[in-house]
């Protein structure tokens, strides 16, 4: 779809409600298919950590569970993708509005869009147990994939934190924001024939299906 391209480079998007497992499934995709991973949320959190003007502004929206304005978000992502011209990539959590989808479509070719459909009650339970390593975006869950040492990242030994927007009010707002925006985005990609839905309660149930789908979709020379 969009810009013409005939290389073995492969570009995918992963969408889904807050805590539907986008980050968890992305890390498995990166491990098995060697795509570069770019998460809008991780990018914003690194801007917040660096106390940039964009980061400080974005935090005011994120803490409430609202979306960062389209122009700011699209500019951030498009700039990052411009650095990945020679790479296959996986874009996590972008686009989140039809406007963002249209902006992306004008700039980049996308091969497939993976959409995760996980029941809401499962999501609410998960968030309470999530611990994040901000610098890398690695996520843990006290039940599902606990770190080897509680509160410590397995790879770097640095401290894990609980995200400010994982408080119950913000999670409720994030879910509402997602529901209010997702339908036209899915219709947009379905209209381009590149949407693939994955429904399930658990990551370990969804992941083999995503793996099978990508094994079929990614060019073998990649
Ligand atoms: P983010 O950072 O993109 P969300 O809300 O879309 O945030 P989030 O919270 O990062 O999504 P996820 O990546 O879908 O969730 O899920 P995950 O982290 O892998 O899994 C959630 C938890 O469940 C983890 O603890 C994991 O270990 C656990 N888990 C996974 N699978 C299972 C399972 O099978 N069982 C169990 N028990 N646990 C499991 O965006 C944050 C904010 O940034 C802004 C917005 O303000 C947004 O709210 N933002 C944007 N604003 C505008 N436009 C955009 N495009 C934006 N992108 C981000
Ligand atoms: Mg995530």
């Amino acid at each position: 779809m969009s810009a013409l391209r005939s290389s073995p480079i492969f570009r995918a998007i992963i969408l889904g409600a807050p805590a539907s497992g986008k980050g968890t499934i992305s890390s498995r995709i990166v491990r098995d298919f060697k795509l570069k991973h770019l998460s809008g949320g991780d990018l914003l959190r690194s801007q917040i950590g660096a106390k940039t003007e964009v980061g400080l502004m974005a935090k005011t929206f994120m803490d409430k569970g609202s979306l960062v304005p389209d122009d700011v978000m699209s500019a951030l992502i498009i700039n990052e993708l411009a650095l990945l011209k020679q790479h296959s990539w996986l874009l996590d959590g972008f686009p989140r509005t039809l406007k963002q989808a249209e902006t992306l479509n004008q700039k980049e070719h996308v091969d497939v869009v993976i959409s995760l459909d996980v029941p809401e009650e499962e999501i609410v339970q998960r968030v309470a147990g999530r611990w994040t390593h901000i610098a890398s975006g690695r996520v843990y869950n006290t039940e599902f994939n606990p770190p080897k040492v509680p509160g410590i990242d397995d790879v770097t030994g640095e401290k894990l934190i609980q995200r400010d927007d994982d408080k119950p009010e913000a999670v409720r707002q994030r879910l509402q924001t997602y529901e209010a925006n997702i339908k036209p985005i899915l219709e947009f990609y379905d209209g381009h024939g590149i949407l693939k839905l994955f429904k399930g309660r658990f990551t370990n149930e969804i992941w083999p299906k995503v793996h099978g789908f990508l094994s079929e979709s990614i060019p073998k020379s990649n």
Side-chain angles (χ1 to χ4, degrees):
M1 132 189 205
S2 83
L4 283 176
R5 192 176 45 66
S6 60
S7 71
I9 283 175
F10 184 80
R11 269 85 189 262
I13 290 174
I14 185 163
L15 301 176
S20 56
K22 299 183 294 296
T24 306
I25 289 181
S26 290
S27 67
R28 297 182 187 186
I29 293 175
V30 167
R31 180 194 65 200
D32 291 0
F33 298 100
K34 315 286 179 246
L35 309 185
K36 299 269 183 199
H37 177 228
L38 181 62
S39 149
D42 289 351
L43 193 58
L44 291 169
R45 283 183 287 277
S46 74
Q47 296 276 330
I48 292 171
K51 296 192 167 48
T52 64
E53 202 177 319
V54 166
L56 296 176
M57 184 275 281
K59 189 170 185 337
T60 63
F61 292 91
M62 292 169 77
D63 285 353
K64 286 185 293 192
S66 309
L67 293 180
V68 173
D70 282 340
D71 51 345
V72 174
M73 198 63 215
S74 295
L76 266 180
I77 294 286
I78 299 295
N79 284 345
E80 289 295 316
L81 292 179
L83 304 174
L84 298 177
K85 284 280 177 221
Q86 306 307 321
H87 296 275
S88 294
W89 46 245
L90 172 66
L91 190 50
D92 165 353
F94 184 97
R96 282 189 209 220
T97 63
L98 183 58
K99 184 88 182 52
Q100 292 179 10
E102 289 166 348
T103 303
L104 180 66
N105 186 45
Q106 285 160 12
K107 297 281 182 189
E108 300 285 348
H109 173 94
V110 174
D111 294 289
V112 297
V113 176
I114 292 167
S115 172
L116 306 180
D117 185 353
V118 174
E120 187 170 322
E121 71 274 12
E122 169 68 22
I123 284 174
V124 173
Q125 272 182 29
R126 280 180 193 183
V127 171
R130 173 167 46 192
W131 289 83
T132 304
H133 180 245
I134 290 292
S136 66
R138 261 185 298 283
V139 285
Y140 300 87
N141 185 281
T142 42
E143 306 272 311
F144 173 66
N145 59 335
K148 290 182 186 126
V149 179
I152 301 292
D153 178 44
D154 289 353
V155 178
T156 61
E158 291 166 354
K159 274 194 179 163
L160 301 174
I161 60 125
Q162 286 198 291
R163 281 169 39 180
D164 287 343
D165 63 348
D166 277 349
K167 296 189 181 98
E169 326 76 76
V171 172
R172 266 193 297 278
Q173 182 57 45
R174 281 160 62 200
L175 282 165
Q176 278 173 18
T177 305
Y178 179 79
E179 288 305 326
N181 287 290
I182 193 62
K183 197 161 171 256
I185 301 174
L186 297 184
E187 284 169 358
F188 178 82
Y189 288 123
D190 199 27
H192 286 90
I194 59 170
L195 178 68
K196 184 76 181 166
L197 291 176
F198 294 91
K199 202 175 166 108
R201 192 174 186 95
F202 304 111
T203 291
N204 289 346
E205 174 192 350
I206 293 175
W207 167 240
K209 298 180 204 160
V210 172
H211 186 279
F213 169 68
L214 288 177
S215 300
E216 295 292 313
S217 309
I218 295 182
K220 294 293 174 247
S221 57
N222 209 39

